[in-house]
Amino acid sequence: QVQLVESGGGLVQAGGSLRLSCTASGRTFSSYAMGWFRQGPGKEREFVARIWSTSDTQFYADFVKGRFTISRNNAKNTVYLQMNTLKPEDTAVYYCAAGPDVPVNYLYWGQGTQVTVSS
């Protein structure tokens, strides 16, 4: 069992930056791929970014490429999402999730952290 806790959300002006963190319980964090998802008001949850367990591969949704960076520190059981050049349409609850490298399937989810970008 893995428990995930997100932090770092808040209110920021358009063009600003935030760094989200997701800390996992348990000793198996380094064996999991980690993902970030988001759900905006009135929208379906959507994929944002993914990093494989070994950190050598990341994958991004097209709408965040060049603006967001996913990284992880296995010694701290933490995955990060650095978000730059934020836009009002990035406003959402952001969730982290954990699962195996293969297949792409997320078994554990955090409770989410709110990100609000003002125009």
Side-chain angles (χ1 to χ4, degrees):
Q1 188 75 8
V2 176
Q3 292 185 326
L4 304 173
V5 179
E6 301 96 336
S7 61
L11 174 64
V12 64
Q13 289 188 332
S17 299
L18 280 175
R19 188 176 80 156
L20 305 183
S21 300
C22 172
T23 301
S25 63
R27 292 177 287 179
T28 58
F29 174 79
S30 61
S31 67
Y32 289 107
M34 299 298 296
W36 284 98
F37 292 76
R38 71 185 188 185
Q39 186 167 16
K43 298 181 180 179
E44 297 289 320
R45 186 172 63 191
E46 61 184 353
F47 167 79
V48 175
R50 174 180 172 89
I51 186 167
W52 269 251
S53 62
T54 56
S55 303
D56 59 353
T57 304
Q58 300 91 41
F59 186 73
Y60 297 91
D62 286 344
F63 55 80
V64 302
K65 283 182 181 177
R67 299 191 299 126
F68 292 9
T69 302
I70 188 171
S71 62
R72 65 191 297 161
N73 184 328
N74 286 342
K76 294 185 177 181
N77 278 14
T78 301
V79 62
Y80 305 97
L81 186 68
Q82 178 67 44
M83 305 186 296
N84 299 325
T85 319
L86 283 161
K87 305 174 182 180
E89 52 264 42
D90 294 318
T91 294
V93 178
Y94 283 72
Y95 300 89
C96 69
D101 281 342
V102 179
V104 178
N105 181 33
Y106 295 96
L107 304 176
Y108 306 105
W109 293 82
Q111 83 291 347
T113 185
Q114 176 70 47
V115 172
T116 302
V117 184
S118 63
S119 58

